[in-house]
Amino acid sequence: MESSQSKRSASFSEQTSQPLSEKDMEELQSTLPPDKKLKAGREYIWNRKSKRKAEYWKYYLEYVENGKLRAECKFCPKTFAADGNLNGSKNVKNHAESCLGNPINIEKEKGKEKQTKLYFDQEHESSELKCGSRIINLNDVREALIHMIIVDELPFKHVEKSGFRHFVQVACPQFHIPSRVTIARDCLKLYYSEKEKLREMFKTCQRISVTTDTWTSIQRINYMCLTAHFIDNDWKLNKKIINFCPISSHKGEAIGKAVEACLEYWGIDDKLFTVTVDNASSNDVACAHLSRMVRRTGCINDGKNLHVRCIAHIINLIVWDGIREHGVCIDRVRNAVKYVKNSPARILRFKDLVQKANIDSKSSLSFDVPTRWNSTYIMLETALKFRRVFSGLSLPDGEDLNDNERPPEPEDWEKVERLVLFLGGFYLLTKRISGSHYVTANKGLGEIASMYDMLNNWEQSEDLNFQAMAIAMKKKFDKYWGDVDKMNKFIYVALLLDPHSKMVIVELTLTDMHGPEKGTKLANDVKEFAYSLFEEYRKMYATSNIPYCGDNMSMDIDNSKGVGSDYVRKLKERAKRLKGTSGYAISELDRYLNDQLGPEEEEQDALTWWGKNGQRYVILNRMARDILAIPLSTVASESAFSTGGRTLDPFRSSLTPKMVQALLCTQDWLRAKEVPIVDVEENLKELEEIEKEVQRGESNDVDDEVVFVDSLV
């Protein structure tokens, strides 16, 4: 007796022995969504009098594959075994009720996800609980999880850790935690989504300045990072990483071509304004390549001021030259700090001596990183506060030690004190100039002049060592900034476009640096360059709705055809030629330079002022948007002090270059503002105070306040 399975198989073969006609295929196609197509070569079954009674079967196409019946979802690519005798219909039914491609399920899901939940919120000033309602959207929870993974630089497998799963189970039990594979996929989807948003933003922006930097993975793969800086229509400064890709060579031509390819991909090659790079010779070649590109695509000032040298990098080189002059006293302090921190017993002894000496300081001793001079400065500054304590310790000493390994002597501490004072100015200067979330272009000339003044003062020092240090640093300064022609002229114009400075501060600064005669001549050159630049912008952006006239003399062309109109028009043209440029150009720029700030405007930063007053200067505000967006540093503040390269962490180094780019770019796009770096050494003091409070019973809420610091020490 034949089994039901063999009978069922026979019926399939009879049904599919005759392929569907072309008309049947067209009719079957008409039952599908517009974006769904029948797959060529697939043996579909279409029986208008189907015995399938369940409602969900209308969402499937049936076909035979290798003699077995299968069902294909009409709204997504998923397929299922569909022989009722062998497979059942549970999977088919469940998918029909959950497929998010089905319009019916989308409506159902909206209702489910936006279910209102009760919550209790504790008042800050009392222990009372306030009852309220909140809409929990599980899709929002999942998006927040992806945001956390990217912004906090967590590995994908973080979602599989037991602690995280326990937290989610308590905080949101109805949320299904995705696998690490799904997390990786969602991160890529978010990257592509955010990239399209940025592409649309680029279409509305004016000009873009870029910076380049290099990173290295632990596999020694070199990456090039390209960051775009621009001011949007709301006068907000934007910093967006637009490329993070492997680069095969550090030669200038290769870097230039890589930058050009990226700009073309984003469609902003015709919007490039400046390129800020460090002082490597290869970057000179790269900027020369990009200068040729912008001359083809169109640029301001024919690309002559495209190249901007990183001020933070130059300051770094100058400071390192100075530090070398004081290697002995720095080494002695470093060895003393190392001696204390290498033993728990010595640390306790050190703390006891600090208490006995009544030294009130929250600072803790810290090591320095050899490649980061700011850490050396912080180490010296902190150690200086405890100089009396070091004298009470039995630091190693003996004839067998080298000179730089001996304990610090009083003369060493005096040198360190002056060195800290000296380096403190450069430390603050570097932090100010390397910010990426506020405009720095208008600060460049002032910071350079400030450094010049510091070096001049230290050259007159009575201490011969400090005098030698200042002279060495001054030589490096003169190499990069001693010749005005080597500096980008946009730096001068940026200070002029700062409403708090204008031309007066530019002239005074140049006079202080170069003397009255040369300074005045340079100031006049800057003013002439500003006028020529403004005229270029006027020709580029002048439109019919912008008045083409001065304040005292109308330059509008009378289009009436009355008697003498041609003569009047020619007369006005002659008047414009006598002025050397349009009456409007002279009027608007002069008006800006002569206008005084009101009391309410004196506290506004440059961007805020232009955002509120830009409509008064129709052309000049476009020029300000481009020039004020120029970054003076290629690196973020935490890397501005380092001579070492920037290195990818082990997690990112283990990823493919495409995934590395997706994570780093998306992280940069999602971060609303610069995330401060946590200084663990400084936090230890606070944690110790919390421990003491708990032990003394001074904390009102012990359970919430206890913090264990073993993992941080």
Side-chain angles (χ1 to χ4, degrees):
M1 187 174 183
E2 281 188 303
S3 67
S4 59
Q5 179 179 349
S6 60
K7 289 181 180 179
R8 186 76 174 168
S9 300
S11 66
F12 292 154
S13 61
E14 291 170 6
Q15 257 183 314
T16 58
S17 60
Q18 298 293 332
L20 295 179
S21 66
E22 188 174 339
K23 183 178 180 181
D24 289 339
M25 292 290 282
E26 291 178 359
E27 196 169 344
L28 184 59
Q29 177 66 52
S30 66
T31 66
L32 302 179
D35 58 342
K36 181 83 171 181
K37 303 294 180 185
L38 295 173
K39 292 193 176 182
R42 181 165 283 182
E43 298 180 36
Y44 288 99
I45 299 173
W46 190 41
N47 188 351
R48 294 176 181 81
K49 298 180 180 180
S50 174
K51 295 182 180 180
R52 307 277 197 188
K53 301 300 182 184
E55 181 73 13
Y56 53 79
W57 280 108
K58 69 180 181 180
Y59 303 133
Y60 289 91
L61 297 171
E62 293 185 74
Y63 67 97
V64 175
E65 184 177 76
N66 297 327
K68 296 180 180 179
L69 184 63
R70 296 190 66 80
E72 175 188 356
C73 179
K74 290 184 178 182
F75 304 99
C76 74
K78 285 204 171 185
T79 63
F80 303 89
D83 190 328
N85 293 331
L86 299 176
N87 311 111
S89 58
K90 183 178 180 180
N91 290 338
V92 176
K93 179 183 178 183
N94 289 342
H95 179 75
E97 294 173 351
S98 62
C99 177
L100 294 180
N102 192 329
I104 294 178
N105 290 333
I106 294 176
E107 294 301 319
K108 290 180 181 177
E109 200 69 20
K110 286 181 179 178
K112 288 181 181 179
E113 290 169 351
K114 294 186 178 179
Q115 182 178 358
T116 301
K117 303 288 183 180
L118 288 178
Y119 74 96
F120 294 90
D121 189 17
Q122 184 171 349
E123 296 286 351
H124 294 292
E125 299 180 357
S126 68
S127 59
E128 295 181 1
L129 294 178
K130 178 182 177 182
C131 182
S133 62
R134 177 182 299 152
I135 295 176
I136 297 179
N137 188 320
L138 297 182
N139 282 340
D140 290 344
V141 176
R142 182 162 170 172
E143 289 175 4
L145 173 60
I146 300 303
H147 185 279
M148 180 187 74
I149 293 291
I150 294 175
V151 172
D152 292 341
E153 303 179 14
L154 299 174
F156 300 140
K157 65 180 181 181
H158 182 80
V159 297
E160 297 179 350
K161 293 182 177 180
S162 58
F164 176 77
R165 288 186 171 275
H166 175 69
F167 169 77
V168 173
Q169 186 179 9
V170 174
C172 188
Q174 64 270 41
F175 177 65
H176 174 72
I177 302 176
S179 67
R180 58 189 175 89
V181 176
T182 303
I183 288 291
R185 187 182 298 114
D186 286 351
C187 287
L188 277 176
K189 288 179 180 178
L190 183 59
Y191 164 66
Y192 288 119
S193 172
E194 293 296 321
K195 184 164 71 170
E196 289 307 311
K197 294 179 185 177
L198 182 56
R199 194 186 295 275
E200 291 300 315
M201 183 183 291
F202 280 148
K203 291 179 181 179
T204 62
C205 72
Q206 194 170 279
R207 295 255 165 193
I208 294 172
S209 294
V210 301
T211 58
T212 65
D213 197 6
T214 56
W215 293 65
T216 306
S217 70
I218 56 178
Q219 288 93 357
R220 313 310 300 170
I221 299 176
N222 295 317
Y223 287 85
M224 183 192 75
C225 178
L226 188 68
T227 308
H229 307 257
F230 60 95
I231 295 173
D232 59 26
N233 294 329
D234 297 323
W235 286 92
K236 301 294 183 183
L237 180 66
N238 290 267
K239 165 193 162 289
K240 306 290 183 182
I241 295 178
I242 58 176
N243 200 14
F244 197 95
C245 63
I247 186 168
S248 58
S249 171
H250 286 285
K251 292 183 178 180
E253 197 68 22
I255 295 173
K257 289 180 178 178
V259 173
E260 181 181 9
C262 177
L263 296 176
E264 289 177 349
Y265 172 79
W266 284 96
I268 55 177
D269 52 317
D270 59 341
K271 295 185 177 184
L272 182 62
F273 190 63
T274 62
V275 181
T276 304
V277 290
D278 61 31
N279 294 286
S281 58
S282 58
N283 286 327
D284 295 340
V285 178
C287 287
H289 176 89
L290 294 171
S291 294
R292 293 191 293 271
M293 181 199 78
V294 296
R295 283 194 287 271
R296 293 194 309 269
T297 59
C299 60
I300 300 295
N301 199 35
D302 201 28
K304 294 177 183 176
N305 293 281
L306 181 76
H307 187 180
V308 179
R309 297 185 183 276
C310 173
I311 290 183
H313 184 258
I314 296 174
I315 294 174
N316 206 357
L317 296 175
I318 291 173
V319 171
W320 278 112
D321 274 7
I323 287 180
R324 292 191 189 97
E325 299 291 331
H326 285 72
V328 174
C329 68
I330 293 174
D331 285 344
R332 287 181 174 182
V333 173
R334 181 184 294 118
N335 288 327
V337 172
K338 184 177 181 180
Y339 174 79
V340 172
K341 292 187 71 74
N342 275 354
S343 167
R346 293 172 197 156
I347 293 175
L348 290 175
R349 170 67 176 159
F350 185 85
K351 290 180 178 179
D352 289 340
L353 291 175
V354 169
Q355 285 185 339
K356 290 178 181 179
N358 292 323
I359 298 175
D360 185 17
S361 175
K362 292 185 178 181
S363 301
S364 299
L365 294 179
S366 62
F367 287 132
D368 66 332
V369 180
T371 59
R372 295 171 64 92
W373 71 262
N374 65 319
S375 66
T376 303
Y377 161 73
I378 294 172
M379 177 192 72
L380 296 176
E381 182 192 36
T382 305
L384 192 62
K385 298 174 183 177
F386 304 108
R387 58 186 296 183
R388 286 187 293 151
V389 178
F390 280 105
S391 62
L393 295 173
S394 299
L395 297 175
D397 195 4
E399 297 180 356
D400 57 328
L401 295 177
N402 295 326
D403 188 43
N404 62 339
E405 295 175 343
R406 296 181 180 278
E409 298 179 356
E411 295 80 8
D412 294 319
W413 287 115
E414 290 177 7
K415 290 181 180 179
V416 167
E417 187 174 9
R418 302 188 72 180
L419 186 61
V420 166
L421 178 63
F422 186 75
L423 293 179
F426 289 96
Y427 174 75
L428 295 175
L429 189 153
T430 304
K431 290 191 71 173
R432 288 194 300 266
I433 215 67
S434 57
S436 55
H437 295 272
Y438 53 86
V439 293
T440 57
N442 57 329
K443 305 179 187 297
L445 185 59
E447 299 294 2
I448 291 171
S450 175
M451 192 190 321
Y452 183 82
D453 184 63
M454 277 196 296
L455 293 175
N456 279 340
N457 291 335
W458 281 97
E459 271 190 318
Q460 310 303 319
S461 171
E462 296 179 358
D463 189 314
L464 296 180
N465 289 328
F466 280 91
Q467 189 181 98
M469 181 176 70
I471 291 172
M473 297 171 80
K474 186 75 178 301
K475 287 181 180 178
K476 186 74 74 173
F477 179 95
D478 291 338
K479 177 181 177 181
Y480 293 105
W481 292 320
D483 187 355
V484 180
D485 294 333
K486 291 182 179 179
M487 293 179 61
N488 193 305
K489 291 184 179 179
F490 286 151
I491 294 178
Y492 301 106
V493 180
L495 183 59
L496 182 148
L497 291 172
D498 187 329
H500 300 86
S501 303
K502 299 189 178 180
M503 196 63 217
V504 177
I505 301 299
V506 174
E507 186 170 357
L508 290 175
T509 303
L510 292 173
T511 301
D512 287 345
M513 290 183 65
H514 303 284
E517 185 177 347
K518 186 178 180 181
T520 302
K521 180 183 180 301
L522 291 173
N524 290 333
D525 292 343
V526 170
K527 192 171 184 179
E528 183 179 344
F529 175 71
Y531 274 101
S532 64
L533 197 63
F534 179 76
E535 178 65 12
E536 188 173 354
Y537 271 85
R538 189 197 62 77
K539 291 177 180 177
M540 186 181 304
Y541 292 108
T543 57
S544 58
N545 61 335
I546 296 177
Y548 194 70
C549 60
D551 291 339
N552 302 320
M553 180 177 182
S554 175
M555 290 296 173
D556 289 327
I557 305 301
D558 187 0
N559 293 322
S560 63
K561 298 301 180 182
V563 178
S565 60
D566 288 342
Y567 173 76
V568 174
R569 187 184 71 249
K570 291 177 182 178
L571 192 65
K572 291 177 180 178
E573 291 292 339
R574 287 169 60 192
K576 284 187 292 182
R577 286 196 296 271
L578 287 174
K579 284 183 174 287
T581 182
S582 71
Y584 179 87
I586 287 180
S587 173
E588 182 173 314
L589 185 50
D590 279 341
R591 181 157 45 86
Y592 163 76
L593 294 176
N594 294 326
D595 283 350
Q596 300 295 319
L597 290 181
E600 71 283 355
E601 297 175 317
E602 292 179 357
E603 300 300 322
Q604 296 175 359
D605 61 84
L607 282 190
T608 302
W609 188 90
W610 278 104
K612 293 181 178 180
N613 297 275
Q615 68 276 8
R616 295 164 51 195
Y617 309 100
V618 184
I619 302 298
L620 196 62
N621 83 78
R622 290 185 173 271
M623 182 170 146
R625 274 181 65 184
D626 290 343
I627 294 179
L628 291 177
I630 298 173
L632 297 185
S633 172
T634 62
V635 293
S637 58
E638 68 269 17
S639 304
F641 307 91
S642 178
T643 58
R646 306 179 77 178
T647 306
L648 292 179
D649 59 44
F651 163 61
R652 285 175 171 166
S653 295
S654 66
L655 302 174
T656 63
K658 186 68 178 178
M659 184 61 79
V660 171
Q661 174 170 276
L663 292 178
L664 277 166
C665 289
T666 312
Q667 179 194 57
D668 179 75
W669 301 340
L670 293 179
R671 279 180 172 172
K673 58 183 179 179
E674 191 170 8
V675 178
I677 298 176
V678 176
D679 190 340
V680 176
E681 293 288 345
E682 291 295 325
N683 286 346
L684 285 177
K685 187 69 175 178
E686 296 177 7
L687 296 177
E688 289 171 357
E689 291 298 326
I690 293 174
E691 289 179 337
K692 291 178 181 178
E693 287 180 4
V694 174
Q695 291 172 358
R696 291 194 301 262
E698 294 179 2
S699 174
N700 294 325
D701 193 351
V702 174
D703 291 339
D704 289 341
E705 294 294 329
V706 174
V707 180
F708 294 98
V709 297
D710 292 347
S711 61
L712 298 177
V713 177

